[in-house]
Amino acid sequence: MKVFKFGGASVNSADAVRNMAQIVQKHLESTPLVVVVSAMGKTTNLLEKLVPGVSSKEEAVALRQQLEDYHRGIATALMPDSMDVQGDITSILSRFDTTTKLLRAKDDYNYNYDQTVSFGEVLSTTIIAHYLNVIGIKTMLADARQIIITDNHFREGHVNWEFTQGTCRLMLDAARGYNVVLTQGFIGSVKDSNQTTTLGREGSDYSAAILAYCLDAESVTIWKDVPGFLNADPKFFKDTVKISQIPYNEAIELAYYGASVIHPKTVKPIQNKGIPLYIRSFITPDGEGSAVGNYHAISPETPLYIFKNDQILLSILPRDYSFIAEDNLQVIFGILNELGIRVNLMQNSALSFSICIDNNPQRVGVLIERLKSMFRVRYNENLQLVTIRYYTQEVIDSIVAGRPILLEQRSRSTEQIIVPA
Ligand code: ASP
Ligand code: MG
């Protein structure tokens, strides 16, 4: 059995859904095909603004209308005669209204967030399930909240693997006779409760990997708007090269350094079971794409680039010119952990400790305040962190392009530099 994942961009219009359905139609040789779908287009961003307390009342009314018009528009274009799909949209939206109204009384942002934003995936899969059935693909819509079982860590649910394996098997039994099992990416629920959880932004890839692991799938395919795994983000880099084969470890390294092609948690479950992961283009679906699997090295061999913009470099120095030692580091990491700040690069010297982090103004402000009560803190903003795997000096020089290097770290395979943006 195979698992396919379609992200928001692949289902952001009626034409996109038609194209997605054609891809599904072409791959029904071994059924059921398990299909994981994200919210349509940028719906999750819109829903983030509808979490109670985030927007003003007038803004919220307009956004709520936008949510409705967008989904009804796509459903109408796909199935002009279907009363059923419009009826389902009506009941989902009325549940949405009741849910968000009740949440206003509950002052727990992370909880409220998950109960609100999860409606994007519910809407998208409901419309798509109707459409697949209308065009003759027998589709079972499975609610991911009955399949992906997590703890109650809202906005980043941790999967309960044991229970999720059990629910996955039940889902597969129920799917006998269907061509497709369609389910939502990104969402799950707390065991034995009706509380929805999410797996973190962009978490639908991870959902696909969880299902593949639990169902012992033969492969996972992520359909994207790029022809495969590129050696750099085309937004930052002109002459990208497609990497055809990527070892699991390399994919984990790249996700760690911030490559945005695959969600960081996605690789581990499929690596554990040796399940190959394919990245293919929904724009050119007959193209070969890229494969992550049991390879020894990337192919073709070429430098890989990861750019992170809007970085801030903090240097932390003890007030009394004492050494930066384990006790200081413990305090610093304690604060970082508490604030949920991820360190993109760090460097230690006798008298200072430097960290490069994303410049999230709210969190960084609090961090600096907290650190200043114990240390001296200096910082530089508007920086770019560039990671180059399989570098050559020539490649580094062309990236630096004469800019001053604020910090540099080099290992046998990886060069990291921080430069002004
Ligand atoms: N819809 C969610 C998001 O936009 C999950 C996903 O697309 O992977 O973050
Ligand atoms: Mg996405």
Side-chain angles (χ1 to χ4, degrees):
M1 179 241 317
K2 293 179 180 168
V3 177
F4 277 11
K5 182 260 171 170
F6 290 93
S10 65
V11 292
N12 65 0
S13 67
D15 279 341
V17 174
R18 287 189 194 102
N19 176 61
M20 172 256 174
Q22 261 179 29
I23 294 172
V24 168
Q25 183 103 59
K26 274 196 201 153
H27 292 89
L28 296 177
E29 67 284 358
S30 73
T31 56
L33 177 68
V34 175
V35 178
V36 176
V37 178
S38 300
M40 291 174 158
K42 306 260 180 242
T43 300
T44 308
N45 292 357
L46 185 154
L47 286 166
E48 284 187 335
K49 297 190 205 135
L50 282 170
V51 177
V54 172
S55 299
S56 73
K57 210 165 173 192
E58 300 80 69
E59 278 167 347
V61 169
L63 290 164
R64 162 67 179 75
Q65 192 59 48
Q66 211 179 311
L67 177 74
E68 174 155 3
D69 294 347
Y70 177 55
H71 288 92
R72 285 206 194 277
I74 291 177
T76 307
L78 290 170
M79 297 162 276
D81 305 321
S82 170
M83 303 295 271
D84 291 352
V85 68
Q86 296 296 339
D88 279 356
I89 294 174
T90 304
S91 60
I92 295 167
L93 290 172
S94 99
R95 244 186 300 138
F96 177 79
D97 293 337
T98 329
T99 305
T100 45
K101 205 166 176 182
L102 290 172
L103 289 177
R104 259 174 244 147
K106 198 166 158 84
D107 190 21
D108 180 346
Y109 176 73
N110 290 345
Y111 172 82
N112 290 356
Y113 180 100
D114 284 0
Q115 312 318 304
T116 307
V117 301
S118 48
F119 276 89
E121 270 69 13
V122 174
L123 281 164
S124 70
T125 48
T126 301
I127 296 169
I128 292 167
H130 273 286
Y131 181 65
L132 294 179
N133 279 306
V134 164
I135 63 167
I137 302 174
K138 233 179 146 234
T139 301
M140 179 180 100
L141 177 58
D143 190 328
R145 289 166 296 187
Q146 285 163 24
I147 302 167
I148 309 277
I149 308 302
T150 68
D151 64 4
N152 64 354
H153 200 273
F154 296 102
R155 293 187 70 196
E156 180 130 33
H158 302 120
V159 176
N160 181 323
W161 292 95
E162 201 187 315
F163 277 93
T164 302
Q165 284 195 9
T167 50
C168 277
R169 253 172 257 132
L170 292 176
M171 176 190 84
L172 212 53
D173 286 343
R176 230 166 272 156
Y178 285 93
N179 302 129
V180 166
V181 179
L182 181 73
T183 192
Q184 302 85 19
F186 183 50
I187 69 175
S189 76
V190 180
K191 188 175 161 283
D192 298 330
S193 85
N194 55 6
Q195 299 179 319
T196 302
T197 47
T198 65
L199 305 173
R201 279 307 303 261
E202 304 294 329
S204 294
D205 291 359
Y206 184 41
S207 300
I210 296 165
L211 293 174
Y213 177 93
C214 293
L215 295 166
D216 288 310
E218 76 188 69
S219 64
V220 179
T221 306
I222 299 182
W223 295 90
K224 295 187 71 85
D225 57 1
V226 285
F229 202 121
L230 303 177
N231 72 328
D233 185 335
K235 270 189 271 167
F236 297 110
F237 206 80
K238 264 203 297 187
D239 302 311
T240 52
V241 177
K242 192 188 81 182
I243 311 297
S244 306
Q245 295 178 348
I246 306 119
Y248 289 117
N249 288 353
E250 184 69 40
I252 291 173
E253 296 267 9
L254 290 169
Y256 171 80
Y257 288 120
S260 57
V261 200
I262 321 178
H263 186 273
K265 286 184 179 168
T266 305
V267 183
K268 189 171 164 250
I270 54 165
Q271 188 258 356
N272 284 175
K273 289 211 175 169
I275 300 168
L277 170 76
Y278 301 112
I279 298 160
R280 296 178 65 177
S281 163
F282 61 79
I283 299 162
T284 51
D286 296 327
E288 238 202 74
S290 301
V292 179
N294 261 326
Y295 305 108
H296 287 296
I298 58 164
S299 162
E301 280 182 32
T302 178
L304 308 174
Y305 304 86
I306 300 141
F307 297 88
K308 270 180 168 283
N309 281 341
D310 203 11
Q311 298 293 297
I312 177 163
L313 181 65
L314 291 184
S315 296
I316 305 159
L317 309 92
R319 286 187 184 286
D320 56 0
Y321 293 90
S322 62
F323 290 135
I324 279 275
E326 283 69 13
D327 50 349
N328 290 328
L329 292 175
Q330 192 175 4
V331 171
I332 296 167
F333 278 106
I335 299 173
L336 289 166
N337 187 34
E338 227 178 274
L339 296 176
I341 295 175
R342 186 181 183 279
V343 176
N344 297 328
L345 183 75
M346 59 187 143
Q347 190 150 295
N348 201 6
S349 75
L351 292 175
S352 87
F353 179 60
S354 301
I355 54 171
C356 178
I357 56 181
D358 293 349
N359 195 359
N360 170 330
Q362 278 165 358
R363 286 187 189 172
V364 171
V366 179
L367 173 68
I368 292 175
E369 277 315 301
R370 300 263 313 258
L371 290 172
K372 271 189 172 165
S373 66
M374 289 167 277
F375 305 98
R376 287 184 295 142
V377 181
R378 294 206 207 107
Y379 60 90
N380 275 293
E381 293 175 286
N382 290 325
L383 304 177
Q384 184 179 51
L385 168 64
V386 189
T387 304
I388 310 168
R389 305 261 301 153
Y390 316 114
Y391 59 85
T392 61
Q393 192 54 48
E394 204 185 328
V395 159
I396 296 172
D397 292 344
S398 77
I399 291 293
V400 171
R403 293 178 284 182
I405 298 176
L406 278 82
L407 202 150
E408 178 169 25
Q409 255 175 35
R410 184 174 294 192
S411 73
R412 238 185 311 158
S413 56
T414 310
E415 163 85 3
Q416 291 194 285
I417 40 177
I418 299 175
V419 284

